[in-house]
Amino acid sequence: MTTPPAARLGNITKSFGRFPALSGASLEVRSGEIHGLLGENGAGKSTLLSIFGGRLRPDAGSLEIRGTRTEFGTPGDAAAQGIGMVHQHFALVPAFTVLENLALGYRSSRSRWTLPIPDLRDRAARLQAETGLRVPLEASVERLGVGDRQRVEILKALLIDPSIILLDEPTAVLAPSEVDTLFGLLDRLRAQGRAIVLVAHKLDEILGVVDRVTVLRRGRTVLTAGRDEVDGPALVRAMVGEGPVADPAVPDIPRPRGGRVPPGEVVVSLEGAPTSGLNGPLEIRRGEIVGIAGIEGNGQGSLAMALAGRSRPPGTRVRLPAHLGFIPQDRTRSGLAGSMSLVENLALALHRDPAYRTSRPGLPSLLRWSALRERAGELMERYGVSGPGLDAPVAALSGGNQQRVVVAREMALARDVLVAENPTRGLDVASTTFVHQQIQSLSSTGDRPPGVVLISTDLDEIMALAHRIFTIVRGSLREVPRDARSREEIGGLMLSGVEAV
Amino acid sequence: MPEILALTAFLEASVRLGTPLALAALGETVTERSGVINIGLEGSIIAGALGSALGAIATGSPLAGLLAGVVSGTAVAACFALFAVVLRTDQIITGTAVTLGGLGFTGAVYQARFGTTGTALSLPTLDAVSFPGVARIPVVGSAFFSQPITVYLAYLLAPALWYVLFRTPWGLSLRAVGENPDAADAAGVSVVRTRLHATLVGGALAGLAGAHLTLAHTGTFSEGMSAGRGFIAIAVVVLGRWNPLWVLVAGLLFGTASALQFFLQTLGLDLPYQLFLALPYALTLAALAGWVGRARAPAALARSWPPQQ
């Protein structure tokens, strides 16, 4: 008789409204293995993991834990079953200290009238020594960087001594060397006989560490195999289906022209002092793509806001051109007005343009909606936006199509410079490639092409697109020397920033 | 020494006027810490006032009246919670409806029960209880320690609620729900149940505040006698920075502002008395407008959970 798997989820279905997120997803994970869960954006990886961890309830499907049929329950039930979860968007309370976060939901044998803080402090200290996950226990979480926050998440998951550990895209916020440390830890947890499910979007990254993989496509499990039975291309085929295949990690785009700085006048310049939170200098010329690489939470947000002219950190001098386009990281929050229609969202940028205003003497100037509709239709076609139509609310579009709307609008505005902050985050392969191509053609077409600032946490994206690369570490910008353009070296600079010349 | 007597009377009035604000604000502190803002507090206060009046008349016992007031305030808060917490309606609109509904409903019940004759209702009242030692301290002694039992309840509840919120697992869960319901949910805390409990606690204390108005303060019930105290209590919570200890202090401070209006009127200044009536409300505006400094509201305040799709 063989030992039953640590857990088996069978034929899970789950819909959000009319949208089917999962339609027949299965996952089996064994003790003592690292199991990779792969799939494109929107394939249902996070949904499946959330159901596993008790955060979501499936519409149908079965769950077995160590061979015993079990009902899906709450996160508390899952924890009681020995399932620990590390969330992609950290499930921490920023206003609490690390210890208070660890205490949250921690079932202690002590009285319900006192917090088990001293007890927890001991346990956490022991766990830190065991795992090497060092974080200041008394610090409040809002003052920690993303790397530290993730360590808290992992500590929290390990505190219940889980037999099954679920990690949702844990590498997205880490520098290459931190990823190695994390994988080292997972290795040791595997050796202790725990079952580990690992979701990651970078194929090459996780192939080195997993024992088996499961691939989801459009909410369905399409492949489960041992690591040795499949290779990269086969997995990519499983993820995207038949047809033209692009490696999702490194989209198929031409390399920048030899790193040569193309001639062109300076359109943006930024100077800052170390005290201002942004430390330049940074100059952008027409026709070049400047990449800003950094681990999330190192001042990219305020840099983007400063370059887009939305805010200016005190002590920083920024010179901006007249015609600027800005693709914000969070399209739903600062890029689009979700309940307004596609035409209206495009009009938001064009409503000051005289071409779209009436001018009759003695009368107030009104918007020429027919012209705006026409323009919106053109842009939709050119940027391949597919959706329910010009008058439907933009929130009804898929994430990729929403991003195309933002890209279309901002590129039309970017006659001098385009500032793009993580423009492909959360997009699938096709849309990512499309955005990359648009950025490249924007910066290389015409007599006076605009300059582009590409702020991204995806190092591959930057290396593929940028003519010049800067790293940003705690708000300090440093240009990466031309001869140091390798993943390892830039990764090292992103982490410390001290080795830069 | 008439000045000293006047000062004692002034302080005594400050505590008596501040107590209902403090009680309601202490309850609202618990509610808001869970991420629910109950603008319907006024409805709970007026219901507590009427309930305590009816209870005291029916039993002849002011203590039974007090209990009836607590039950009435809790019932109104339960009504708010059913909509705002369970059915996830907008908290501000629901709270406004509960306030207006509470004022109208209590008025209707009062008229149906006592008619519209205009004769004031006379209720059995809570007597002042003097603490033998401390009540003899000159000036402040009798002002703070020769008061009805509801005043002492406010004194005791402030540190008790502080302990519960900041030192117990239930308090930690409750604050987590108010800061980041997703994180609380992920940690196995039931967000809806926690918010339900917190809202009921708030309603119970608002009911107690209403009972204080009838049984300890005025000895009668009149329509609309809560007079905006529910809204002032919400400002008191802000001024007290969502910390029960400071909320008690802030409540008494607002009581002082209310007492000041009577005190200033007795001075015979040649100013319209409405100006003094406006004093507590002006203080409310000042409190909301940033006197509070960098106090931070619970991050998930007024946001329903789980978020609507």
Side-chain angles (χ1 to χ4, degrees):
Chain A
M1 185 192 145
T2 51
T3 38
R8 180 185 283 143
L9 288 90
N11 220 0
I12 308 283
T13 60
K14 171 78 185 170
S15 299
F16 297 106
R18 294 204 334 262
F19 173 69
L22 293 176
S23 48
S26 303
L27 176 68
E28 183 201 271
V29 53
R30 300 173 186 158
S31 299
E33 77 165 353
I34 299 180
H35 195 107
L37 184 58
L38 301 170
E40 284 211 283
N41 287 303
K45 304 182 299 273
S46 286
T47 307
L48 186 59
L49 220 56
S50 294
I51 287 170
F52 203 163
R55 304 276 331 259
L56 285 175
R57 216 159 254 266
D59 299 334
S62 64
L63 171 66
E64 275 175 32
I65 307 271
R66 287 174 288 278
T68 317
R69 184 72 187 258
T70 312
E71 290 299 309
F72 289 97
T74 63
D77 299 334
Q81 298 271 11
I83 301 172
M85 184 150 179
V86 176
H87 299 88
Q88 178 184 12
H89 305 290
F90 305 133
L92 299 173
V93 181
F96 283 10
T97 66
V98 173
L99 268 178
E100 283 176 321
N101 268 291
L102 295 179
L104 188 61
Y106 175 69
R107 307 275 180 277
S108 137
S109 50
R110 300 265 191 95
S111 130
R112 51 191 296 215
W113 290 104
T114 51
L115 283 178
I117 290 286
D119 180 31
L120 265 176
R121 192 178 284 121
D122 292 349
R123 285 201 51 149
R126 247 179 294 136
L127 205 53
Q128 285 193 311
E130 244 173 71
T131 57
L133 294 165
R134 300 254 164 238
V135 265
L137 292 175
E138 313 286 345
S140 81
V141 163
E142 63 200 344
R143 309 184 65 157
L144 299 179
V146 276
D148 274 342
R149 287 188 196 202
Q150 185 173 65
R151 285 185 265 281
V152 179
E153 272 277 331
I154 297 175
L155 277 176
K156 203 172 147 196
L158 292 180
L159 210 56
I160 62 164
D161 194 18
S163 55
I164 302 167
I165 304 169
L166 315 177
L167 299 106
D168 195 357
E169 298 223 11
T171 59
V173 298
L174 299 180
S177 73
E178 289 178 309
V179 171
D180 293 342
T181 313
L182 173 69
F183 285 170
L185 173 64
L186 295 185
D187 224 15
R188 272 175 284 148
L189 293 171
R190 162 170 59 188
Q192 291 165 0
R194 299 179 211 257
I196 297 164
V197 180
L198 178 62
V199 173
H201 67 288
K202 290 189 184 171
L203 200 53
D204 51 345
E205 198 171 67
I206 94 170
L207 281 184
V209 68
V210 297
D211 302 296
R212 290 196 308 149
V213 290
T214 289
V215 178
L216 290 182
R217 186 170 76 228
R218 288 165 196 260
R220 223 178 266 278
T221 298
V222 291
L223 175 75
T224 295
R227 167 69 188 91
D228 303 330
E229 300 159 31
V230 285
D231 56 3
L235 286 172
V236 172
R237 258 197 309 283
M239 283 159 70
V240 303
E242 297 305 324
V245 170
D247 185 340
V250 187
D252 181 26
I253 35 179
R255 290 260 145 192
R257 295 146 286 179
R260 176 180 60 93
V261 178
E265 86 229 45
V266 173
V267 281
V268 170
S269 70
L270 175 142
E271 279 172 58
T275 49
S276 71
L278 269 187
N279 195 4
L282 175 69
E283 281 189 344
I284 317 290
R285 290 165 180 279
R286 284 192 182 280
E288 71 169 341
I289 301 176
V290 174
I292 313 281
I295 302 158
E296 189 146 338
N298 268 293
Q300 289 97 330
S302 50
L303 176 68
M305 284 296 153
L307 291 179
R310 301 242 174 138
S311 74
R312 190 159 50 113
T316 313
R317 284 231 301 275
V318 187
R319 226 170 40 78
L320 295 173
H323 301 287
L324 181 145
F326 176 45
I327 302 174
Q329 157 168 296
D330 189 343
R331 57 181 165 266
T332 49
R333 229 171 54 197
S334 48
L336 295 170
S339 58
M340 288 166 71
S341 74
L342 213 148
V343 176
E344 286 169 323
N345 268 286
L346 288 168
L348 281 178
L350 302 170
H351 66 287
R352 288 203 192 84
D353 191 329
Y356 300 102
R357 305 285 290 258
T358 59
S359 65
R360 291 194 198 107
L363 288 176
S365 168
L366 301 176
L367 284 175
R368 291 177 51 214
W369 282 105
S370 54
L372 283 166
R373 284 182 66 84
E374 207 173 297
R375 176 87 168 123
E378 264 170 50
L379 285 172
M380 268 183 83
E381 198 158 319
R382 199 167 116 211
Y383 286 86
V385 182
S386 58
L390 290 176
D391 296 309
V394 105
L397 300 178
S398 74
N401 278 307
Q402 288 184 9
Q403 187 71 341
R404 284 168 192 244
V405 173
V406 176
V407 168
R409 184 181 72 198
E410 299 302 322
M411 289 209 168
L413 290 173
R415 274 181 275 169
D416 297 323
V417 72
L418 175 75
V419 179
E421 185 186 13
N422 290 317
T424 58
R425 174 168 293 180
L427 299 188
D428 59 20
V429 178
S431 298
T432 300
T433 311
F434 177 80
V435 170
H436 286 165
Q437 283 164 350
Q438 291 299 323
I439 288 176
Q440 286 208 313
S441 81
L442 180 78
S443 68
S444 58
T445 323
D447 300 339
R448 285 160 52 83
V452 176
V453 188
L454 173 65
I455 303 169
S456 177
T457 46
D458 184 347
L459 189 50
D460 295 322
E461 174 173 85
I462 285 190
M463 293 194 52
L465 287 173
H467 302 109
R468 291 193 295 142
I469 298 178
F470 284 73
T471 58
I472 183 165
V473 178
R474 286 185 292 277
S476 276
L477 290 159
R478 273 168 213 268
E479 183 157 7
V480 176
R482 205 148 311 240
D483 52 9
R485 279 185 65 141
S486 70
R487 262 189 77 79
E488 290 64 37
E489 291 203 49
I490 298 178
L493 294 177
M494 279 161 59
L495 203 54
S496 60
V498 288
E499 292 91 331
V501 184
Chain B
M1 289 185 292
E3 295 86 356
I4 300 267
L5 281 181
L7 186 61
T8 304
F10 167 63
L11 285 178
E12 194 268 328
S14 301
V15 173
R16 201 154 28 83
L17 287 162
T19 295
L21 297 175
L23 285 170
L26 283 169
E28 180 74 4
T29 301
V30 174
T31 307
E32 290 194 15
R33 278 285 184 177
S34 79
V36 176
I37 183 158
N38 183 1
I39 303 270
L41 208 55
E42 181 90 6
S44 279
I45 295 177
I46 193 71
L50 180 65
S52 65
L54 294 175
I57 289 171
T59 61
S61 149
L63 281 176
L66 208 61
L67 196 66
V70 170
V71 171
S72 310
T74 312
V76 170
C79 193
F80 170 82
L82 172 68
F83 284 93
V85 177
V86 179
L87 300 175
R88 293 186 280 159
T89 56
D90 182 273
Q91 294 182 7
I92 303 297
I93 293 170
T94 310
T96 307
V98 166
T99 287
L100 296 175
L103 290 169
F105 181 72
T106 50
V109 169
Y110 174 73
Q111 289 192 6
R113 173 77 170 72
F114 303 105
T116 48
T117 53
T119 47
L121 207 57
S122 186
L123 301 173
T125 54
L126 293 161
D127 297 323
V129 183
S130 286
F131 276 77
V134 283
R136 305 185 83 86
I137 301 171
V139 190
V140 290
S142 66
F144 284 92
F145 295 105
S146 182
Q147 292 278 12
I149 181 171
T150 42
V151 173
Y152 303 124
L153 279 175
Y155 294 168
L156 290 177
L157 276 167
L161 289 178
W162 178 87
Y163 184 86
V164 169
L165 280 178
F166 295 103
R167 289 290 180 271
T168 66
W170 188 73
L172 186 79
S173 304
L174 186 143
R175 286 186 293 127
V177 166
E179 289 287 342
N180 186 351
D182 274 327
D185 176 64
V189 177
S190 166
V191 174
V192 169
R193 198 183 311 150
T194 305
R195 287 186 160 183
L196 208 54
H197 290 164
T199 308
L200 294 183
V201 168
L205 292 192
L208 190 62
H212 171 94
L213 288 179
T214 51
L215 302 177
H217 187 46
T218 59
T220 185
F221 176 87
S222 57
E223 288 178 49
M225 71 184 292
S226 49
R229 283 183 175 84
F231 296 102
I232 297 185
I234 288 166
V236 168
V237 174
V238 179
L239 188 65
R241 298 178 172 206
W242 293 270
N243 178 334
L245 300 176
W246 286 113
V247 164
L248 174 65
V249 173
L252 294 178
L253 183 71
F254 270 77
T256 310
S258 302
L260 202 59
Q261 73 194 10
F262 302 117
F263 186 67
L264 291 177
Q265 281 179 57
T266 60
L267 292 184
L269 297 176
D270 191 18
L271 286 169
Y273 76 96
Q274 286 91 343
L275 274 184
F276 301 121
L277 285 181
L279 201 62
Y281 303 95
L283 189 62
T284 304
L285 283 179
L288 292 176
W291 187 357
V292 191
R294 44 178 196 83
R296 206 175 56 175
L301 191 61
R303 277 200 259 159
S304 51
W305 194 93
Q308 311 272 12
Q309 288 291 334

